[in-house]
Amino acid sequence: MIVRKGGIEDAIALQGRLRKQDYDEVWAAYGHNPDEVLVACAQYSTMLWCAEIHDVVAAVIGVAPSIKSDYEGQPWMLGTDDICSDTKAFLRWPLELLPLMHRVYPVLRNMVDARNKNSIQWLRRMGFTLAQDTVPYGPFGIPFYEFYKEDLVCVR
């Protein structure tokens, strides 16, 4: 698995291939076609990376500015089932990207579908804190957890 700077074309290449848990989470959060939301997230992100396996896009990860605060970014990642094929790489490369996100955003905050157990476990391994309780989120009021990571030493 290699990770490189990403672009809109990588989000387009990922369309139609999202793992089921990512597809379901995006649908629950936005109530729109997840392939369209994927491209919109890529367009709004201030930083974007692509994970490739054998020259095929397996995941796109980015961070978009929060509408709530200039000091907060909304990290996100959407991928195919292939992203778990190399567990060591899957646990290593995001840890290399988080400090880059924190250079711009001292606080990283977003929501995760409470049904998405794999993503919840992965977020904890990446050092994110999850809220203790779920909240109804999105147009269908599906339970989601807020997650966040702070690096208050960050210099803007």
Side-chain angles (χ1 to χ4, degrees):
M1 180 181 304
I2 65 158
V3 177
R4 60 169 173 75
K5 189 172 182 173
I8 302 300
E9 66 279 1
D10 298 309
I12 292 169
L14 196 59
Q15 288 182 319
R17 300 186 306 116
L18 291 177
R19 56 190 177 156
K20 182 175 178 359
Q21 65 199 43
D22 286 353
Y23 186 94
D24 292 347
E25 179 175 280
V26 172
W27 180 256
Y30 299 100
H32 294 289
N33 181 326
D35 287 334
E36 294 173 9
V37 174
L38 164 65
V39 173
C41 287
Q43 289 173 325
Y44 289 113
S45 290
T46 53
M47 291 181 251
L48 192 67
W49 297 273
C50 171
E52 289 182 340
I53 299 174
H54 306 296
D55 297 323
V56 177
V57 176
V60 177
I61 185 170
V63 62
S66 170
I67 59 171
K68 297 178 183 178
S69 166
D70 291 342
Y71 298 102
E72 286 189 14
Q74 293 181 296
W76 61 275
M77 182 184 75
L78 297 170
T80 68
D81 289 324
D82 295 334
I83 59 176
C84 296
S85 64
D86 185 347
T87 306
K88 285 184 181 179
F90 185 58
L91 294 175
R92 182 187 69 245
W93 64 263
L95 291 174
E96 296 170 4
L97 300 180
L98 289 172
L100 298 175
M101 292 181 188
H102 275 303
R103 285 184 188 170
V104 178
Y105 304 108
V107 178
L108 301 174
R109 183 183 315 273
N110 211 336
M111 304 294 283
V112 62
D113 190 329
R115 301 171 297 178
N116 198 339
K117 303 299 183 197
N118 290 336
S119 290
I120 290 168
Q121 182 181 14
W122 182 81
L123 286 164
R124 286 187 173 127
R125 288 191 76 157
M126 295 299 108
F128 285 91
T129 300
L130 272 78
Q132 198 164 3
D133 297 316
T134 62
V135 295
Y137 188 73
F140 312 111
I142 302 290
F144 272 65
Y145 288 103
E146 180 181 53
F147 66 88
Y148 64 94
K149 189 172 187 315
E150 297 181 351
D151 183 3
L152 301 179
V153 181
C154 174
V155 177
R156 290 188 58 123

